[in-house]
């Protein structure tokens, strides 16, 4: 039964890796793959000497870590809060509502975010002005330093419910006798969360953290591309957009391949390093 999946995996995941050879060539589409002019490491040198690429790398890492930290913190918090709800009907309603944004396209979400942050009638500006926190509307989408926070908040709103599912599953697998023993000892809800729930989902958290560190340079594409504009571009552009704009759009396929290869190799190093550190500390590991 696994043979069709293994064939698909080989064709679409491993066979395309032969295209990495373009990173070491001055690739011209009219020529065969091995009839190209070789460039060695010239494209990689060009990347690391380009000040713009270094800024893009900064943006990618910043948005990735913001999404990583906020994603884990909010998903765990929501899972614990849902687990503490005793009214099953209300719990199901909350779960359904929190899952729904995950199924929305980023095109729709970007439109909602732009409308909410609008200077004219955006709900964020209206709310902050009514509370007396600001005197005049803020151009949220026109100030670059706000962009990382906007992306992080948008990603949390869209995916927090979906990300909490695995933690809810981990919590339900905890031996209920531990909670019963804690009740007999007079433990409060917060004490049960601290000494039973959090340690019970620790291994799941570590495995997911290791897996997500493998995507440390995958800060996203759709959200940044749709919310980016000339005023916040210095903070919005990441490696994926760089590959599209300066590689594919300009037919510089070798440069695009070099940037993509760099991203994959760094993610590979992060994944194996995190897994090795976890194993040495005696914690759960991916493999």
């Amino acid at each position: 039964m696994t043979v069709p999946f293994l064939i698909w995996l080989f064709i679409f995941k491993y066979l395309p890796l032969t295209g990495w050879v373009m990173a070491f060539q001055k690739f011209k589409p009219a020529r065969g793959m091995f009839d190209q002019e070789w460039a060695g490491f010239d494209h990689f040198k060009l990347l690391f000497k380009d000040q713009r690429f270094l800024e893009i790398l900064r943006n990618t890492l910043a948005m990735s870590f913001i999404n990583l930290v906020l994603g884990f913190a909010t998903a765990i918090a929501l899972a614990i809060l849902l687990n503490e709800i005793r009214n099953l009907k209300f719990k199901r309603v909350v779960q359904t509502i929190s899952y729904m944004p995950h199924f929305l396209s980023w095109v729709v979400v970007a439109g909602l975010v732009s409308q909410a942050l609008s200077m004219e009638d955006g709900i964020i500006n209206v709310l902050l002005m009514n509370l007396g926190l600001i005197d005049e509307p803020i151009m949220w989408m026109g100030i670059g330093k706000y962009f990382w926070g906007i992306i992080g908040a948008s990603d949390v709103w869209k995916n927090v419910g979906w990300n909490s599912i695995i933690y809810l599953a981990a919590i339900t697998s905890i031996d209920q006798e531990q909670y019963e023993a804690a009740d007999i000892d007079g433990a409060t809800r917060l004490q049960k969360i601290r000494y039973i729930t959090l340690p019970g989902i620790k291994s799941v958290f570590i495995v997911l953290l290791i897996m997500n560190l493998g995507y440390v340079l995958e800060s996203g594409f759709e959200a940044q591309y749709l919310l980016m504009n000339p005023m916040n571009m210095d903070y919005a552009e990441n490696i994926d957009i760089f590959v599209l704009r300066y590689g594919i759009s300009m037919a510089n396929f070798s440069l695009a391949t070099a940037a993509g290869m760099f991203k994959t190799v760094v993610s590979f190093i992060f994944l194996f390093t995190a897994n090795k550190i976890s194993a040495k500390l005696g914690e759960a590991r991916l493999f």
Side-chain angles (χ1 to χ4, degrees):
M1 292 176 65
T2 62
V3 171
F5 170 73
L6 292 175
I7 293 173
W8 174 88
L9 189 69
F10 175 77
I11 293 175
F12 292 100
K13 297 296 182 180
Y14 288 96
L15 195 59
L17 292 179
T18 57
W20 275 9
V21 72
M22 287 193 296
F24 306 97
Q25 300 172 333
K26 294 181 180 178
F27 184 78
K28 302 294 182 183
R31 301 176 184 173
M33 179 64 73
F34 297 101
D35 296 328
Q36 305 288 334
E37 180 182 350
W38 293 93
F41 290 93
D42 290 349
H43 297 297
F44 293 95
K45 293 177 182 177
L46 179 63
L47 282 178
F48 297 119
K49 288 181 180 179
D50 186 356
Q51 184 63 33
R52 181 59 186 161
F53 180 77
L54 297 178
E55 292 177 358
I56 289 169
L57 182 60
R58 175 206 65 182
N59 296 343
T60 304
L61 289 171
M63 286 186 281
S64 181
F65 279 111
I66 288 172
N67 290 342
L68 185 68
V69 173
L70 289 180
F72 273 103
T74 54
I76 292 173
L78 179 61
I80 292 173
L81 291 174
L82 287 172
N83 185 63
E84 293 298 316
I85 297 176
R86 296 292 174 256
N87 189 317
L88 292 180
K89 289 185 179 180
F90 179 69
K91 180 178 180 179
R92 289 169 184 163
V93 170
V94 173
Q95 283 182 283
T96 302
I97 293 173
S98 66
Y99 297 161
M100 287 174 64
H102 175 77
F103 299 99
L104 294 177
S105 165
W106 266 113
V107 176
V108 176
V109 174
L112 293 173
V113 171
S114 298
Q115 183 60 38
L117 298 176
S118 171
M119 284 190 65
E120 298 177 359
D121 55 356
I123 188 172
I124 301 299
N125 276 320
V126 171
L127 182 62
L128 292 177
M129 290 181 67
N130 288 337
L131 292 175
L133 298 177
I134 58 174
D135 297 325
E136 57 184 16
I138 297 174
M139 188 185 294
W140 297 100
M141 300 303 298
I143 302 176
K145 64 181 181 180
Y146 293 144
F147 190 83
W148 296 347
I150 292 171
I151 287 293
S154 302
D155 187 75
V156 167
W157 178 81
K158 188 176 188 299
N159 295 313
V160 63
W162 185 259
N163 292 339
S164 68
I165 293 176
I166 192 167
Y167 294 109
L168 277 171
I171 290 173
T172 57
S173 67
I174 297 174
D175 188 357
Q176 295 301 307
E177 291 183 357
Q178 295 185 50
Y179 291 102
E180 293 171 4
D183 286 330
I184 294 172
D185 291 338
T188 64
R189 281 195 175 189
L190 289 177
Q191 288 173 328
K192 286 188 284 187
I193 291 172
R194 179 180 178 183
Y195 295 108
I196 300 176
T197 305
L198 290 177
I201 64 175
K202 181 181 178 182
S203 60
V204 175
F205 166 76
I206 292 174
V207 170
L208 288 176
L209 178 61
I210 294 171
M211 292 176 65
N212 277 275
L213 284 174
Y215 295 94
V216 70
L217 293 183
E218 297 280 353
S219 61
F221 173 77
E222 295 94 339
Q224 288 82 355
Y225 188 76
L226 293 167
L227 293 174
M228 183 176 69
N229 60 57
M231 291 182 287
N232 60 30
M233 185 179 295
D234 289 341
Y235 289 83
E237 199 169 11
N238 61 10
I239 292 179
D240 290 330
I241 296 177
F242 174 86
V243 168
L244 176 64
R245 295 186 62 200
Y246 302 102
I248 298 174
S249 296
M250 299 177 68
N252 193 344
F253 302 109
S254 295
L255 183 67
T257 304
M261 186 176 176
F262 163 75
K263 183 175 71 171
T264 302
V265 171
V266 170
S267 298
F268 183 85
I269 293 171
F270 266 93
L271 176 65
F272 276 80
T273 303
N275 190 71
K276 190 70 174 179
I277 292 173
S278 180
K280 285 187 174 294
L281 295 176
E283 302 292 348
R285 56 181 179 173
L286 190 58
F287 49 85

